């Protein structure tokens, strides 16, 4: 049951400056000091207030009052006024000056500040200019408080209200009156559905044009988040009509208007039977990728002479005592003679040996050979396998945060671009199945024509987290040289991990007789029993067996939710592998308790976070910026005083996370198979009892199995695993890259560097 309390803000314990989540101590009229949590907006110590909410018990921090609303109220009486003014709430007024102001004006102080602020110049220490500045601060605060009250009347409060004020200021009234759907476009965290609710409360008509166009753009953005770069026109209209409760004919008119305004692009399907709709950003990106790749391929044709390639390969085979098979040699020749090569193959088929041969071949040129992969772990694996430095694609392109002081707009930049390209004889990219459309466009923009580009990947892996299916589209276009390695080499053939991975691909049943040395199945029928055996395997059975630490053994799962989803598995495993300890500090964020010693993962790219690599006595040896999606780390220290968590990531990169930057961190004792892409672990544990058929697919099982280096253990229901083997359903993404490549190749007069036509088809 909600209660209302009156008092003042005694102390602000914590505030997230991004979403304004705040923990503060309320001194109530009854004389009680009470911890309050919620979204009160921009508050200051000393603010008189009325709060509404409910009492709750936090497992770590004890009794708390959870806010549903916060209202500032004018202080009454000279003591309350002096406390408020002396709190620092008004820039330019400190404790001593507040005392003099209240002494001069007494109980009339607040009226004078509101109606006659120029009279502040009567106080010793305040000039006329100072009085005007204080008046300006007071007016701004008054407007902000009025805006909070106004927004709360439409059900908007807390973090969202603060974001709206920060974005529009006093213009918010015009924005909401004219087109509240701008909120969904301008403010992160306020999607179409929230903006639609606000519009409804404001009495906006259900058939308003900007509601319909905003709804169409919202559905297209949802599709982008699902990995698609476009939608079939009829599907878009159907989904938008269901969302908006509007007829498809009306929406069709608004869709054509969006195309005329160049916010979307509409093109006929190759068979001419329908139409595809693209957000303009996706349309332009796919067009740029198609053109840049074809330019690279054309400029690289007629590269190295075949006799020189064969001579270098023969010398490498002699020097290193290896023998390449015909397909591997063919791949090296194609890469050297042309501009673009796509090299694919499953585990044990010799991709790493072929990459090594490519490096030796290209090292004879005057420029360096650059190696990169989408994630830090994949780059590290590439470095270990080749003996040459490999970087993440982001670091290769020299990403950096925008310099706001220099007038740069946006979140980050790649310093390597069309004007400052990479200097290389060849660029080799591994784990291409993980590379999304946006990153690939940035990479291609930074590669000069004449540079050899080799794209290496396993086409049977899960697609990228971001939009697009780049590797598959390139292969299906048949526009570029490609070699698929198929032979399983003798050493790899001795591994049942490799053998079963290929059996999965070929539609043959895995061998689950437990006669293997590296592939096991434990039939278990309940989640609690599986929890028990996961712990035993991680702590007792596997570390010595695979020669690894507990923290290197990884639990993978197809899903996030459910008894065997990553969320619940992390809670269970944390409680056993890193239990509560008075010596270990804890901090709770987004319903997760983080504890010193925890294994964690970064869930999204963050280009602003600074990392350091330190030597003896804490001396900084190297520093940089950026922590990326999929990076693993260990939580080394929680500092409640500094409000930071220190995490050691791969390559000994130490990062101090402010408490308000923890939304992208999750526990990583268990991670989804999607998040494991690009990584390799000594041992993989995969618990499955059942789940959505859309997740329990053959290529997800294949991806999970191929993450293991020395041992795979399947736990759960054999029937569930057999169903995964047989489930060839693929949530095929709808993209336009393959068709864009075909269009450009077929365009008459096209040559390297030719401008790409806009190709705006008839609507």
């Amino acid at each position: 049951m909600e209660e209302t309390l009156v008092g003042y803000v005694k102390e602000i314990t914590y505030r997230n400056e991004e979403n304004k989540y705040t923990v503060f101590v309320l001194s109530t009229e009854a004389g009680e000091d009470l911890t309050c949590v919620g979204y009160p907006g921009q508050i200051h110590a000393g603010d008189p207030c009325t709060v509404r909410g409910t009492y709750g018990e936090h497992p770590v921090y004890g009794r708390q009052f959870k806010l549903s609303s916060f209202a500032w109220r004018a202080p009454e009486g000279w003591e309350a006024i002096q406390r408020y003014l002396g709190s620092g709430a008004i820039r330019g007024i400190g404790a001593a000056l507040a005392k003099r102001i209240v002494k001069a004006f007494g109980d009339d102080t607040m009226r004078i500040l509101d109606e006659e602020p120029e009279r502040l110049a009567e106080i010793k220490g305040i000039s006329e200019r100072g009085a005007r500045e204080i008046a300006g601060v007071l007016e701004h605060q008054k407007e902000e408080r009025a805006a909070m009250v106004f927004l709360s009347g439409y059900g908007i409060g807390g973090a969202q209200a603060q974001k709206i004020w920060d974005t529009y200021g006093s213009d918010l009234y015009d924005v909401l009156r004219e087109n509240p759907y701008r909120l969904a476009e301008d403010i992160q965290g306020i999607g179409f559905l929230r903006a639609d609710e606000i519009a409804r409360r404001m009495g906006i008509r259900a058939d308003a044009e900007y509601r319909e166009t905003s709804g169409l753009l919202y559905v297209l953005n949802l599709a982008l988040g699902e990995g698609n770069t476009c939608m079939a026109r009829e599907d878009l209209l159907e989904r938008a009509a269901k969302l908006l409760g509007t007829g498809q004919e009306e929406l069709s008119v608004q869709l054509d208007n969006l195309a005329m305004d160049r916010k979307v692009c509409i093109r006929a399907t190759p068979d001419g039977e329908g139409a595809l709709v693209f957000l303009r950003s996706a349309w332009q990106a796919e067009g740029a990728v198609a053109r840049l790749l074809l330019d690279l391929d054309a400029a690289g044709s007629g590269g190295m002479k075949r006799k020189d390639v064969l001579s270098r390969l023969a010398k490498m085979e002699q020097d290193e005592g290896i023998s390449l098979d015909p397909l591997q040699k063919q791949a090296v020749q194609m890469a050297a003679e042309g501009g673009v090569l796509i090299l694919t193959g499953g585990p044990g088929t010799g991709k790493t040996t072929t990459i090594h041969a490519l490096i030796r071949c290209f090292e004879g040129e005057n420029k360096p050979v650059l190696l990169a992969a989408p994630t830090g772990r994949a780059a590290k694996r590439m470095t270990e396998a080749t003996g040459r430095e490999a970087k993440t694609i982001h670091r290769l392109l020299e990403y950096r945060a925008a310099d706001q002081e220099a007038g740069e707009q946006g979140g980050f930049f790649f310093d390597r671009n069309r004007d400052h390209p990479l200097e290389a004889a060849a660029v080799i990219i591994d784990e291409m199945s993980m590379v999304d459309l946006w990153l690939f466009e940035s990479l291609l923009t930074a590669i000069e024509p004449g540079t050899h580009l080799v794209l290496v990947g396993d086409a049977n892996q899960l697609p990228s987290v971001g939009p697009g299916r780049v590797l598959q589209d390139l292969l299906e276009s048949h526009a570029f040289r490609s070699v698929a390695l198929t032979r399983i080499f003798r050493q790899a053939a001795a591994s049942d991990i490799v053998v079963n991975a290929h059996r999965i691909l070929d539609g043959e049943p895995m061998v689950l007789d437990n006669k293997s040395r590296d592939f096991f199945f434990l039939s278990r029928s309940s989640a609690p029993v599986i929890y028990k055996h996961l712990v035993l395997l991680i702590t007792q059975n596997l570390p010595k067996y695979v020669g690894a630490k507990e923290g290197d053994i990884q639990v993978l799962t197809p899903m996030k939710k459910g008894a065997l989803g990553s969320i619940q598995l992390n809670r269970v495993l944390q409680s056993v592998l890193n239990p509560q300890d008075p010596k270990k500090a804890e901090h709770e964020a987004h319903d997760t308790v983080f504890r010193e010693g925890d294994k964690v993962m970064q869930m999204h790219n963050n280009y602003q976070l600074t990392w350091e690599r330190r030597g003896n006595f804490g001396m900084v040896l190297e520093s940089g910026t950026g922590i990326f999606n999929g990076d693993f780390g260990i939580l080394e220290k929680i500092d409640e005083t500094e409000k930071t968590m220190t995490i050691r990531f791969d390559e000994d990169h130490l990062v101090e996370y402010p408490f308000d930057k923890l939304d992208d961190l999750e526990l990583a004792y268990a991670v989804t198979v999607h998040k494991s892409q690009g990584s390799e672990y000594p041992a993989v544990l995969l618990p499955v009892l059942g789940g959505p058929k859309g997740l329990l697919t053959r290529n997800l099982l294949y991806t999970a199995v191929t993450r293991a280096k020395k041992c795979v253990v399947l736990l759960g229901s054999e029937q569930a695993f057999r169903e995964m083997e047989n489930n060839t359903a693929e949530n095929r993404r709808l993209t336009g890259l393959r068709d864009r490549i075909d269009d450009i190749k077929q365009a008459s007069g096209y040559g390297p560097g030719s401008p790409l036509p806009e190709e705006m088809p008839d609507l």
Side-chain angles (χ1 to χ4, degrees), residues 304 306-334 336 353-362:
M304 295 174 59
R306 179 162 296 195
K307 65 176 183 178
D308 293 334
V309 176
L310 294 175
S311 174
R312 291 179 186 181
L313 287 179
K315 188 174 188 310
M316 184 205 75
E317 290 179 315
Q318 182 178 357
D319 291 345
E320 302 189 18
I322 62 173
S323 178
L324 300 177
D325 80 353
L327 277 177
Q328 290 175 312
K329 289 182 179 179
Q330 181 185 8
V332 176
Q333 290 172 8
M334 283 185 171
T353 301
T354 309
I355 291 173
H356 186 65
L358 286 163
I359 294 169
R360 287 289 302 267
C361 180
F362 288 126

Side-chain angles (χ1 to χ4, degrees), residues 361-395:
C361 180
F362 288 126
E363 277 181 337
E365 304 301 297
N366 295 326
K367 294 180 180 179
V369 179
L370 301 179
L371 310 180
T375 67
R377 287 211 159 193
K380 185 178 181 181
R381 285 174 49 204
M382 199 177 186
T383 297
E384 292 168 350
T386 63
R388 310 297 200 280
E389 181 187 18
K391 301 178 179 180
T392 63
I393 297 174
H394 287 87
R395 293 203 174 102

Side-chain angles (χ1 to χ4, degrees), residues 87 185 200 241 428 446 658:
S87 68
E185 298 179 32
R200 181 179 56 79
I428 302 175

